[in-house]
């Protein structure tokens, strides 16, 4: 039957998928600069006998794989292609050859896996009705998010997919397993840039200055009460300031202090209200202390909600593919993902591909210089995604 055929193809092409992943891993490119990556993807797609639409939102690619009766229904599958500004510390043969740039979030794996899925679907296209749209997008790691640009350039039109599925590596889940969550899954993420302006001077004459360091300290402490007193206790929220620059000295009070942070929420109304309160409070505190605070908010991705019915069906498909014992629940996280943009357009589901292997010492988290995956996950990812897409087309 079709499930076994797909499984066999996925295992048979595992080496090829690993080779593609290693090539991409060794040649990472930063967000919106995925030129060679896009060329690699497009060349592979053509090799499979498919026609890529290139240059969407710069380096993005879309591919339509048409089954029988291709206009009946369309399901979209998405991979992201960008790497991070991290110097890789792994000593593997496929280590990044691009100094200071690394596939530390597994987007090399997502891209290689979706190429594997493309090959499988192309080989079985007479076995399903409808079409599968593959989306290889740029810039997941950086605002405004490649997903929003791809949507803006019409990637969800002609044809409009009835559902979209995204896959992401997860170093907390052992290779061989996958994780799902219905409903709210990831947070909105906005960037905060605060500049506290005072009046600098000698550290021994504070009365002649307006000390922006003390003002900034008050602001940071006070803003935490937006989380503890204004956010509902039932509503997960995060406010973190990871950067403070006060470039004075032991005896010099600087003229200004810069701070940068992130505000995350799971509710659009609270998100806007929280941002308003942060701005008002920071400005008010600075003013009451004789200084000024300029607040710049850079809006990031919205929250990501996994469509419950779609996610239930995909979970069932995964249980058929891997066995019930290899499909796990995943928890809500206040991480963010630009896949969220698709989830605000059409029914979407974002699931996790386990890549951990403690015996092999593969445990590092994403966005770290020692992140790697157990590549046996690449014998699963491509076939699983193909099976999910085909099942959506066949049965729903
Ligand atoms: Zn990432
Ligand atoms: Zn990622």
């Amino acid at each position: 039957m079709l499930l076994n055929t797909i499984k066999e193809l996925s295992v048979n092409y595992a080496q090829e998928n690993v080779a593609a992943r290693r090539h991409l891993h060794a040649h990472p490119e930063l967000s919106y600069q995925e030129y060679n990556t896009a060329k690699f993807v497009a060349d592979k797609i053509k090799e499979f006998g498919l026609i890529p639409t290139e240059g969407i939102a710069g380096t993005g690619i879309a591919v339509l794989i048409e089954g029988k009766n291709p206009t009946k229904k369309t399901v979209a599958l998405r991979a992201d292609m960008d790497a991070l500004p991290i110097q890789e510390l792994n000593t593997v043969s496929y280590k990044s050859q691009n100094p200071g740039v690394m596939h530390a979030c597994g987007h090399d794996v997502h891209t290689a896996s979706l190429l594997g899925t493309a090959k499988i679907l192309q080989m079985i296209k007479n076995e399903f009705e409808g079409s599968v749209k593959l989306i290889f997008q740029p810039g997941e790691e950086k605002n405004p998010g490649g997903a929003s640009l791809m949507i803006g350039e019409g990637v969800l039109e002609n044809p409009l997919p009835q559902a979209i599925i995204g896959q992401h590596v997860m170093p907390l889940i052992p290779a061989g397993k996958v994780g799902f969550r219905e409903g709210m899954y990831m947070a909105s993420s906005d960037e905060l840039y605060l500049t506290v302006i005072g009046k600098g001077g000698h550290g021994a004459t504070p009365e002649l200055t307006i000390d922006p360091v003390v003002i900034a300290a008050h602001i940071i402490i006070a803003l935490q009460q937006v989380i503890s007193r204004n956010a509902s206790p039932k509503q997960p929220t995060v406010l973190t300031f990871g950067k403070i620059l006060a470039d004075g000295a032991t005896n010099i009070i600087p003229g200004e202090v810069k701070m940068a942070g992130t505000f995350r929420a799971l509710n659009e109304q609270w998100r806007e209200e929280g941002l308003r309160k942060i701005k008002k409070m920071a400005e008010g505190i600075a003013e009451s202390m004789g200084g000024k605070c300029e607040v710049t908010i850079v809006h990031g991705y919205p929250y990501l909600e996994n469509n419950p019915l779609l996610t239930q069906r995909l979970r069932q498909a995964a249980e058929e593919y891997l066995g019930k014992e290899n499909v796990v629940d995943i928890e809500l996280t206040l991480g963010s993902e630009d896949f969220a943009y698709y989830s605000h357009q059409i029914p979407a589901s974002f699931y996790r591909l386990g890549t951990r292997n403690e015996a092999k010492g593969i445990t590092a988290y994403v966005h770290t210089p020692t992140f790697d995956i157990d590549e046996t996950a690449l014998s699963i990812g491509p076939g699983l995604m193909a099976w999910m897409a085909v099942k959506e087309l066949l049965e729903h």
Side-chain angles (χ1 to χ4, degrees), residues 352-372:
R352 295 287 183 158
L353 178 71
T355 53
R356 184 185 188 85
N357 189 324
E358 279 189 51
K360 292 185 196 165
I362 300 169
T363 57
Y365 203 60
V366 289
H367 289 220
T368 69
T370 52
F371 170 74
D372 200 359

Side-chain angles (χ1 to χ4, degrees), residues 103-115:
H103 269 297
C105 200
H107 299 186
D108 52 341
V109 181
H110 311 158
T111 301
S113 180
L114 193 55
L115 283 172

Side-chain angles (χ1 to χ4, degrees), residues 21 25 90 92 94 102 171 355 362 364 370-375:
R21 183 259 165 165
H25 192 87
N90 292 315
V92 292
Y94 48 90
M102 176 189 176
T355 53
I362 300 169
T370 52
F371 170 74
D372 200 359
I373 67 151
D374 179 348
E375 289 176 328

Side-chain angles (χ1 to χ4, degrees), residues 204-227:
T205 58
E207 76 279 17
L208 300 178
T209 74
I210 296 165
D211 187 346
V213 178
V214 174
I215 298 174
H218 275 278
I219 289 173
I220 284 178
I221 299 292
L223 288 183
Q224 284 303 324
Q225 71 92 20
V226 172
I227 309 306

Side-chain angles (χ1 to χ4, degrees), residues 80 84 104-107 140-141 168 336-337 366-367:
D80 41 12
L84 286 159
C105 200
H107 299 186
E140 192 288 320
E141 298 284 2
H168 202 294
S336 73
E337 238 296 333
V366 289
H367 289 220

Side-chain angles (χ1 to χ4, degrees), residues 183-394:
M184 201 58 82
Y185 177 43
M186 296 179 86
S188 60
S189 161
D190 299 308
E191 295 173 359
L192 305 168
Y193 297 93
L194 275 59
T195 302
V196 179
I197 300 156
K199 186 172 166 239
H202 198 296
T205 58
E207 76 279 17
L208 300 178
T209 74
I210 296 165
D211 187 346
V213 178
V214 174
I215 298 174
H218 275 278
I219 289 173
I220 284 178
I221 299 292
L223 288 183
Q224 284 303 324
Q225 71 92 20
V226 172
I227 309 306
S228 71
R229 300 292 83 183
N230 296 123
S232 161
K234 288 166 275 182
Q235 189 64 254
T237 310
V238 164
L239 175 64
T240 296
F241 281 96
K243 186 171 178 179
I244 310 174
L245 278 177
D247 200 14
T250 54
N251 55 0
I252 300 169
I253 293 169
E256 63 172 37
V257 172
K258 287 187 180 293
M259 302 184 274
T262 179
F263 178 70
R264 292 163 186 245
L266 294 166
N267 173 300
E268 285 297 299
Q269 201 187 330
W270 160 241
R271 175 189 187 187
E272 290 312 318
E273 195 184 321
L275 289 171
R276 256 200 318 277
K277 282 187 192 295
I278 286 168
K279 182 168 156 47
K280 197 171 171 201
M281 194 177 286
E283 289 170 349
I285 289 169
E287 206 192 311
S288 72
M289 295 176 75
K292 226 178 100 182
C293 183
E294 290 169 1
V295 179
T296 303
I297 295 165
V298 178
H299 278 80
Y301 311 155
Y303 66 78
L304 193 170
E305 188 165 20
N306 283 330
N307 180 278
L309 289 175
L310 172 65
T311 306
Q312 279 166 23
R313 293 196 300 270
L314 298 182
R315 189 186 175 114
Q316 204 198 327
E319 288 178 356
E320 289 160 7
Y321 197 99
L322 291 168
K324 241 185 163 71
E325 67 282 8
N326 290 318
V327 179
V328 300
D329 291 318
I330 47 176
E331 290 189 341
L332 185 83
T333 163
L334 274 85
S336 73
E337 238 296 333
D338 82 343
F339 185 78
Y341 282 110
Y342 302 112
S343 83
H344 287 253
Q345 302 286 327
I346 56 174
S349 192
F350 192 64
Y351 74 95
R352 295 287 183 158
L353 178 71
T355 53
R356 184 185 188 85
N357 189 324
E358 279 189 51
K360 292 185 196 165
I362 300 169
T363 57
Y365 203 60
V366 289
H367 289 220
T368 69
T370 52
F371 170 74
D372 200 359
I373 67 151
D374 179 348
E375 289 176 328
T376 60
L378 272 169
S379 58
I380 295 169
L384 177 60
M385 250 198 165
W387 174 239
M388 285 175 172
V390 164
K391 264 210 93 178
E392 272 300 294
L393 292 174
L394 283 175

